[in-house]
Each structure stands twice: as C-alpha cells, then as structure tokens.
Amino acid sequence: MLDYIIVGLGLGGASTAFRLEEMGQSFLVFEDGSVNSSKVAGGVMNPVILKRFTLAWQADAQLKDAKGFYKRLENHLNTTFFSAVEIYRKFSSVEEQNDWFAAADRSHLAPFLDTKLKAAITPGIPSEYSFGRVLQTSKVDTRKLLNTYLEYLLREEKLRKERFFYEDLKVSEDYVEYRGVKARRIIFCDGFGIRKNPFFSYLPLGGNKGEYIIIKARELQLEVTVKSSIFISPLGSGMYAVGATYNNQDKTPGPTAEAREELVKKLEKIITVPYEVVDQVVGIRPSTADRRPLVGKHPEMDNVYCCNGFGSRGVLIAPAASAELLNLIEHAQPVSSEYDLARFTRKHFKRN
Ligand SMILES: Cc1cc2nc3c(=O)[nH]c(=O)nc-3n(C[C@H](O)[C@H](O)[C@H](O)COP(=O)(O)OP(=O)(O)OC[C@H]3O[C@@H](n4cnc5c(N)ncnc54)[C@H](O)[C@@H]3O)c2cc1C
C-alpha cells in the first residue's frame, strides 16, 4: 500500500510530490499531458501587481518559502531552473511615477519597489517617462523543472505517463484503489482538468485562457523584462515572449487570431524596431472567481484531496498550497481559510 496517489504533475503536483519525498512518503503520480498551464507559464515570480502597485495576496510570505523550496528541488534534481531576473515597469505618465513613489513609501511594499528610477532601458523601447525596478524578482524555467522532475520520477518508478480515469477510482474508508494500485490517500492536482473530475468538478474553477506570442527582434537588445500594457521578456538569441492575454470566456485549447492581434497592437505601441512573430503559446490558468486557491479535503471522503486554483500566480502559490495541504493531512493543522476549498462546500456541493 502506497501513502499517496497524485493526479497531475504541473506546479501543484510537482510541489506536492517533492514535499512528500522530503517527508519520506511513498507515492505514484499519474500525468497525461492533457493540460499544460505550468509548462507554458512565463515562470515569473513577482510579488507586486504592476497595474496598481500593490502587493499580491500573501506574496511576502509565499516568496520567502518559494525561494528555498525551488533551491532544494534544484539540488534534489541536480539541475538549475531558478534564476534572478530584472523586471522594470514602464511609466506612461507623471501620475504613475508619483504613484510608484507613494507605494514605495508603504512599509510592506518598500522592500520590493526601487525608488532609483531608470531614465532609459534600450533605444528600441523609447519612453517619455522613467522605468521603475521591482526588487526580489526571479524566474522558474517551469518547462525544465517539470521535464526534469518527470524523467526523475519515471526512473524512480514513481510516475506513470498515462491518463487517470476518474471513474475507475474506488474510495473505501481506509484507502483508495485505482486499477490495482492501493494508497492511503489521493491528491488531485489536475489544474483545469478538474472540470472533468467528478470528485471536485463542483468547485467554481472557471479558468482563464492566456496566450502570448514569441517574437524575433534582433535590434531590440533588451536584457531585462519590461512591463507596460504587456510583458516583454528576453528568451535569448534575439527572441522575446510578449504577453499575456486574459480571457475567461474562451475555454478552447488552441491559439486565436484575436489574441495575436491584441498583442501585436500593444507591442507596436511600445517597440520601434523591426520584429517577426515566430510562435504563439496558449494555456488555461486554473483560476477561481475569488482569486484564491482550492486546497483541502473532499466534503464527504476523508482520503480524497485537492490542490488547485492557483490562477495566474502558480509559481509563488504552489509551494505554499502544497504545504497547507500536507500540514492538514499529516499534522492535522487546519488549512488557512483563504486557501480552504470548504468555503465553497455549502453553496456548491450537492450530497449524494
Ligand atoms: C500564458 C500563461 C502564462 C503564465 N505565466 C505565469 C507566470 O509568469 N508566473 C506564474 O506564477 N504563473 C503563471 N501562469 C499561471 C500558472 O501557469 C498556473 O497557476 C499553474 O501552472 C497551475 O498549475 P497546476 O499544477 O495547478 O495546473 P497545470 O499546470 O495545468 O497542471 C495540471 C496537470 O494535471 C495533468 N492532468 C490533468 N488531468 C489529468 C488526468 N485525468 N490524468 C493525468 N493527468 C492529468 C495535466 O496534464 C497537467 O500536467 C501562467 C499561465 C498561463 C496560461
């Protein structure tokens, strides 16, 4: 009998699996590549909401935990996927510059907003106003993290690259059983796949489609990430990721001409050098209406759990959410109320 079955190896499943490894617990992961939010993510770990100059929800605490977490995972996998990045906010008016200084005066934002503004970043992004640097920003190469971890877990026989068929899960009082695999508990980390999950599809995870384009712009010569109406992030060799869009209506998995058009329009207002669109990337963020995660136990089954709902900030939230869940299961510590999926039980869950 295993300790756990985990469904999904995005950031949620990977964080949960690594914490279980650290705790010496046995598990088997099922991963079928059916949804890919984590793999397409920009991977940026930025504690500040750059539209309003406010601190993202619990970002301070999450940041402290996440840095150590990703470094330990790098050591464990003997690879590197975590690095510092510089992010600059391009101001579009004097008011915005003043707002930045006002925000930097607040004690909780002061560690994250540099008050020494930069007049220029690169000739390809001319600006009447300055640029403000966000401090303590880093980036996780999520594709590398997940590919490396998946290969490792395959070698360790702790992962099966196959679809998990929800209807074949049998839940007993003391254990769960799936196609001959018995475990004490199961944790669903299936991202937007939750919509097909009969155990948790009652939860209001709407999903928000995100698209970005990859451009080649040799003359841009930009070495830092710039945030204006969109992010422009260097990928190396003259390539840049430009995005992303937010669409909570369209749940189709493919790229759209509308998103490309929107991004190109915004890009052309920012850069003045020639460029070529070479690719377009899509994913559906597992987002909830109240922008908080969905962590906790099934309302009726004591050995069925969920770790989901990270929206647009999975890199920061996943390590914290997996810790919340495993503290509940292994140490009987209640999940913090804002993470706890129980906030939806009364309204949305229909008893059998
Ligand atoms: C365009 C875009 C850019 C983003 N940029 C950032 C960013 O810069 N920073 C940031 O913090 N966040 C970013 N995000 C958000 C981030 O990607 C998500 O918050 C996070 O990846 C969600 O992780 P997850 O593990 O919950 O879901 P997912 O990554 O979707 O993982 C779920 C996994 O479960 C598997 N699965 C599902 N159903 C089954 C099944 N039945 N059987 C087997 N396997 C199954 C899927 O294949 C998948 O691997 C971005 C998202 C998008 C779309």
Coordinates of all heavy atoms in Angstrom, one line a residue, residues 7-13 30-44 162-164 166 189-193 210-212 244 283-286 307-308 310-316, ligand 1:
V7 N -2.6 12.9 -8.9 CA -3.0 13.1 -10.3 C -2.6 14.4 -10.8 O -3.1 15.5 -10.3 CB -4.6 12.9 -10.4 CG1 -5.0 13.1 -11.9 CG2 -5.0 11.5 -9.9
G8 N -1.7 14.4 -11.7 CA -1.2 15.7 -12.4 C 0.2 16.1 -11.9 O 0.5 16.0 -10.7
L9 N 1.1 16.4 -12.8 CA 2.4 16.9 -12.5 C 2.6 18.3 -13.1 O 3.5 18.5 -13.9 CB 3.5 15.9 -12.9 CG 4.9 16.2 -12.3 CD1 5.0 15.8 -10.8 CD2 6.0 15.6 -13.1
G10 N 1.8 19.2 -12.8 CA 2.0 20.6 -13.1 C 2.8 21.2 -11.8 O 3.3 20.4 -11.1
L11 N 2.7 22.5 -11.6 CA 3.4 23.0 -10.4 C 2.8 22.5 -9.2 O 3.5 22.3 -8.2 CB 3.3 24.6 -10.5 CG 4.2 25.2 -11.5 CD1 3.9 26.7 -11.7 CD2 5.7 25.0 -11.1
G12 N 1.4 22.3 -9.2 CA 0.8 21.8 -8.0 C 1.2 20.4 -7.6 O 1.6 20.1 -6.5
G13 N 1.2 19.5 -8.6 CA 1.6 18.1 -8.4 C 3.1 18.0 -8.1 O 3.5 17.2 -7.2
F30 N 0.2 10.1 -11.6 CA -0.4 9.9 -13.0 C -0.3 11.2 -13.7 O -0.8 12.2 -13.2 CB -1.8 9.4 -12.9 CG -1.9 8.0 -12.5 CD1 -1.9 7.7 -11.1 CD2 -1.8 6.9 -13.4 CE1 -1.9 6.4 -10.6 CE2 -1.9 5.6 -12.9 CZ -1.9 5.3 -11.6
E31 N 0.3 11.3 -14.9 CA 0.4 12.5 -15.7 C 0.2 12.2 -17.2 O 1.0 11.4 -17.7 CB 1.7 13.2 -15.4 CG 2.1 14.3 -16.4 CD 1.1 15.4 -16.4 OE1 0.7 15.9 -15.4 OE2 0.7 15.8 -17.5
D32 N -0.8 12.8 -17.8 CA -1.0 12.5 -19.2 C -0.8 13.7 -20.2 O -1.1 13.5 -21.4 CB -2.5 12.0 -19.4 CG -3.5 13.1 -19.2 OD1 -3.1 14.2 -18.7 OD2 -4.7 12.8 -19.5
G33 N -0.3 14.8 -19.7 CA -0.1 16.0 -20.6 C -1.3 16.6 -21.2 O -1.3 17.3 -22.2
S34 N -2.5 16.3 -20.6 CA -3.7 16.8 -21.2 C -3.9 18.3 -21.0 O -4.6 19.0 -21.8 CB -4.9 16.1 -20.6 OG -4.9 16.2 -19.2
V35 N -3.4 18.9 -19.9 CA -3.5 20.4 -19.8 C -2.0 20.9 -19.5 O -1.3 20.1 -18.9 CB -4.5 20.9 -18.8 CG1 -5.9 20.8 -19.3 CG2 -4.4 20.2 -17.5
N36 N -1.8 22.1 -19.8 CA -0.3 22.5 -19.7 C -0.1 23.9 -19.2 O 0.9 24.5 -19.6 CB 0.2 22.4 -21.2 CG -0.5 23.4 -22.1 OD1 -1.5 24.0 -21.7 ND2 0.1 23.6 -23.3
S37 N -0.9 24.3 -18.3 CA -0.7 25.7 -17.8 C 0.7 25.9 -17.3 O 1.4 26.9 -17.6 CB -1.7 26.0 -16.7 OG -1.6 27.3 -16.3
S38 N 1.2 25.0 -16.5 CA 2.5 25.1 -15.9 C 3.6 25.2 -16.9 O 4.6 25.9 -16.8 CB 2.8 24.0 -14.9 OG 1.9 24.0 -13.8
K39 N 3.5 24.3 -18.0 CA 4.6 24.2 -18.9 C 4.7 25.5 -19.8 O 5.8 25.8 -20.3 CB 4.3 23.0 -19.8 CG 4.9 21.7 -19.2 CD 5.3 20.7 -20.2 CE 5.9 19.6 -19.5 NZ 5.6 18.3 -20.0
V40 N 3.6 26.2 -20.0 CA 3.7 27.4 -20.9 C 3.9 28.7 -20.0 O 4.1 29.7 -20.6 CB 2.4 27.6 -21.8 CG1 2.2 26.4 -22.6 CG2 1.2 27.9 -21.0
A41 N 3.8 28.5 -18.7 CA 3.9 29.7 -17.9 C 5.2 30.5 -18.1 O 6.2 29.9 -18.3 CB 3.8 29.3 -16.4
G42 N 5.1 31.8 -18.0 CA 6.3 32.7 -18.1 C 7.2 32.3 -16.9 O 8.4 32.6 -17.0
G43 N 6.7 31.8 -15.8 CA 7.6 31.4 -14.7 C 8.0 32.5 -13.8 O 8.9 32.3 -13.0
V44 N 7.5 33.7 -14.0 CA 7.9 34.9 -13.3 C 7.4 34.8 -11.9 O 6.3 34.6 -11.6 CB 7.5 36.2 -14.0 CG1 7.8 37.4 -13.2 CG2 8.1 36.3 -15.4
E162 N 0.4 8.4 -18.0 CA -0.9 7.9 -18.6 C -2.1 8.7 -18.0 O -1.9 9.3 -16.9 CB -1.1 6.4 -18.4 CG -1.1 6.0 -16.9 CD -1.1 4.5 -16.7 OE1 -0.2 3.8 -17.3 OE2 -1.9 4.0 -16.0
R163 N -3.2 8.6 -18.7 CA -4.4 9.3 -18.2 C -4.9 8.6 -17.0 O -4.9 7.4 -16.9 CB -5.4 9.3 -19.3 CG -6.7 10.0 -19.0 CD -7.5 10.2 -20.3 NE -8.9 10.4 -19.9 CZ -9.9 10.3 -20.8 NH1 -9.6 9.9 -22.0 NH2 -11.1 10.5 -20.4
F164 N -5.4 9.4 -16.0 CA -6.1 8.9 -14.9 C -7.6 8.9 -15.2 O -8.2 10.0 -15.4 CB -5.8 9.7 -13.6 CG -6.4 9.2 -12.4 CD1 -5.7 8.3 -11.6 CD2 -7.7 9.6 -12.0 CE1 -6.3 7.8 -10.4 CE2 -8.3 9.1 -10.8 CZ -7.6 8.2 -10.0
Y166 N -11.1 8.8 -13.9 CA -11.7 9.1 -12.6 C -12.7 8.0 -12.2 O -12.8 7.6 -11.0 CB -12.4 10.5 -12.6 CG -11.4 11.6 -12.9 CD1 -11.4 12.2 -14.2 CD2 -10.7 12.2 -11.9 CE1 -10.5 13.2 -14.4 CE2 -9.8 13.2 -12.2 CZ -9.7 13.8 -13.4 OH -8.9 14.8 -13.7
C189 N -4.3 17.1 -8.4 CA -3.6 18.4 -8.8 C -3.7 18.5 -10.3 O -2.8 18.6 -11.1 CB -2.1 18.3 -8.5 SG -1.7 17.9 -6.7
D190 N -5.0 18.4 -10.8 CA -5.2 18.3 -12.2 C -5.5 19.6 -12.9 O -5.9 19.6 -14.1 CB -6.3 17.3 -12.5 CG -7.5 17.3 -11.5 OD1 -7.5 18.2 -10.6 OD2 -8.4 16.5 -11.5
G191 N -5.2 20.7 -12.3 CA -5.4 22.0 -12.9 C -6.7 22.2 -13.5 O -7.8 21.9 -12.9
F192 N -6.8 22.7 -14.8 CA -8.1 23.0 -15.5 C -8.8 21.6 -15.8 O -10.0 21.6 -16.0 CB -7.8 23.7 -16.7 CG -9.1 24.2 -17.4 CD1 -9.9 25.1 -16.7 CD2 -9.5 23.8 -18.6 CE1 -11.1 25.6 -17.3 CE2 -10.6 24.3 -19.2 CZ -11.5 25.2 -18.5
G193 N -8.0 20.5 -15.7 CA -8.6 19.2 -15.9 C -9.7 18.9 -14.8 O -10.4 17.9 -14.9
G210 N -4.9 32.1 -21.4 CA -3.8 33.0 -21.6 C -3.0 32.7 -22.8 O -2.6 31.5 -23.0
E211 N -2.7 33.7 -23.6 CA -1.9 33.5 -24.8 C -0.7 34.5 -24.8 O -0.9 35.6 -24.4 CB -2.7 33.6 -26.1 CG -3.9 32.7 -26.1 CD -4.6 32.7 -27.4 OE1 -4.0 32.6 -28.5 OE2 -5.9 32.8 -27.4
Y212 N 0.4 34.1 -25.3 CA 1.5 35.0 -25.6 C 2.1 34.7 -27.0 O 2.0 33.5 -27.4 CB 2.5 35.2 -24.5 CG 3.2 34.0 -24.0 CD1 4.4 33.6 -24.6 CD2 2.8 33.2 -23.0 CE1 5.1 32.5 -24.2 CE2 3.5 32.1 -22.5 CZ 4.6 31.8 -23.1 OH 5.3 30.7 -22.6
A244 N 0.8 38.6 -21.4 CA -0.1 37.6 -22.0 C -1.5 38.2 -22.0 O -1.8 39.2 -21.5 CB -0.1 36.3 -21.1
G283 N -2.4 28.5 -22.9 CA -2.7 27.7 -21.7 C -3.9 28.2 -21.0 O -4.3 29.4 -21.2
I284 N -4.5 27.4 -20.2 CA -5.7 27.9 -19.4 C -5.3 27.9 -17.9 O -5.0 26.8 -17.3 CB -6.9 27.0 -19.7 CG1 -7.3 27.1 -21.2 CG2 -8.1 27.5 -18.8 CD1 -8.6 26.5 -21.6
R285 N -5.3 29.1 -17.4 CA -4.9 29.2 -16.0 C -6.1 28.7 -15.1 O -7.2 29.0 -15.4 CB -4.8 30.7 -15.6 CG -3.8 31.5 -16.4 CD -3.8 33.0 -16.1 NE -2.9 33.8 -16.9 CZ -3.3 34.3 -18.1 NH1 -4.5 34.2 -18.6 NH2 -2.4 35.0 -18.8
P286 N -5.8 27.8 -14.1 CA -6.8 27.3 -13.3 C -7.3 28.4 -12.2 O -6.8 28.4 -11.1 CB -6.2 26.1 -12.6 CG -4.7 26.3 -12.7 CD -4.4 27.3 -13.8
C307 N -5.6 20.1 -4.6 CA -4.6 21.2 -4.5 C -4.6 21.9 -5.9 O -4.0 21.4 -6.9 CB -3.3 20.6 -4.2 SG -2.0 21.8 -3.8
N308 N -5.4 23.0 -6.0 CA -5.7 23.6 -7.3 C -6.0 25.1 -7.1 O -5.9 25.6 -6.1 CB -6.8 22.8 -7.9 CG -6.8 22.8 -9.4 OD1 -6.4 23.8 -10.1 ND2 -7.3 21.7 -10.0
F310 N -4.6 28.0 -8.7 CA -3.5 28.9 -8.5 C -3.6 30.1 -9.4 O -2.8 31.1 -9.3 CB -2.2 28.3 -8.7 CG -2.0 27.0 -7.9 CD1 -1.1 26.0 -8.4 CD2 -2.6 26.8 -6.7 CE1 -1.0 24.8 -7.7 CE2 -2.4 25.6 -5.9 CZ -1.6 24.6 -6.4
G311 N -4.6 30.1 -10.3 CA -4.8 31.3 -11.2 C -3.5 31.7 -12.0 O -2.8 30.8 -12.5
S312 N -3.2 33.0 -11.9 CA -2.0 33.5 -12.7 C -0.7 33.5 -11.9 O 0.3 34.0 -12.3 CB -2.3 34.9 -13.2 OG -2.6 35.7 -12.1
R313 N -0.7 32.9 -10.7 CA 0.5 33.0 -9.8 C 0.9 31.7 -9.2 O 1.3 31.6 -8.1 CB 0.2 34.0 -8.7 CG 0.0 35.4 -9.2 CD -0.1 36.5 -8.1 NE 0.0 37.8 -8.8 CZ 1.1 38.5 -8.9 NH1 2.2 38.1 -8.3 NH2 1.0 39.7 -9.5
G314 N 0.8 30.7 -10.1 CA 1.2 29.3 -9.6 C 2.6 29.2 -9.1 O 2.8 28.4 -8.2
V315 N 3.5 29.9 -9.7 CA 4.9 29.7 -9.3 C 5.1 30.1 -7.8 O 5.8 29.4 -7.0 CB 5.9 30.6 -10.1 CG1 7.3 30.5 -9.7 CG2 5.8 30.2 -11.6
L316 N 4.4 31.1 -7.4 CA 4.5 31.6 -5.9 C 3.6 30.7 -5.1 O 3.9 30.4 -3.9 CB 4.1 33.0 -5.8 CG 5.2 34.1 -5.8 CD1 4.6 35.5 -5.6 CD2 6.1 33.8 -4.6
Ligands
LIG1 C1 0.1 32.0 -20.7 C2 0.3 31.8 -19.2 C3 1.4 32.5 -18.6 C4 1.5 32.3 -17.2 N1 2.6 32.9 -16.6 C5 2.8 32.7 -15.3 C6 3.9 33.4 -14.6 O1 4.7 34.0 -15.2 N2 4.0 33.2 -13.3 C7 3.2 32.4 -12.5 O2 3.3 32.3 -11.3 N3 2.1 31.8 -13.1 C8 1.9 31.9 -14.5 N4 0.9 31.3 -15.1 C9 -0.1 30.5 -14.2 C10 0.5 29.2 -13.9 O3 0.8 28.6 -15.1 C11 -0.6 28.3 -13.1 O4 -1.0 29.0 -12.0 C12 0.0 27.0 -12.7 O5 0.8 26.5 -13.7 C13 -1.1 25.9 -12.4 O6 -0.5 24.7 -12.0 P1 -1.3 23.4 -11.8 O7 -0.4 22.4 -11.4 O8 -2.5 23.7 -10.9 O9 -2.1 23.1 -13.2 P2 -1.4 22.5 -14.6 O10 -0.1 23.1 -14.9 O11 -2.5 22.7 -15.6 O12 -1.2 21.0 -14.2 C14 -2.2 20.0 -14.2 C15 -1.6 18.7 -14.6 O13 -2.5 17.7 -14.5 C16 -2.5 16.8 -15.6 N5 -3.7 16.1 -15.7 C17 -5.0 16.7 -15.7 N6 -5.9 15.8 -15.8 C18 -5.3 14.6 -15.8 C19 -5.7 13.2 -15.8 N7 -7.0 12.9 -15.9 N8 -4.8 12.2 -15.9 C20 -3.5 12.5 -15.8 N9 -3.0 13.8 -15.7 C21 -3.9 14.8 -15.7 C22 -2.1 17.8 -16.7 O14 -1.6 17.1 -17.9 C23 -1.2 18.8 -16.1 O15 0.2 18.4 -16.3 C24 0.7 31.4 -16.5 C25 -0.4 30.8 -17.1 C26 -0.5 30.9 -18.5 C27 -1.6 30.2 -19.2

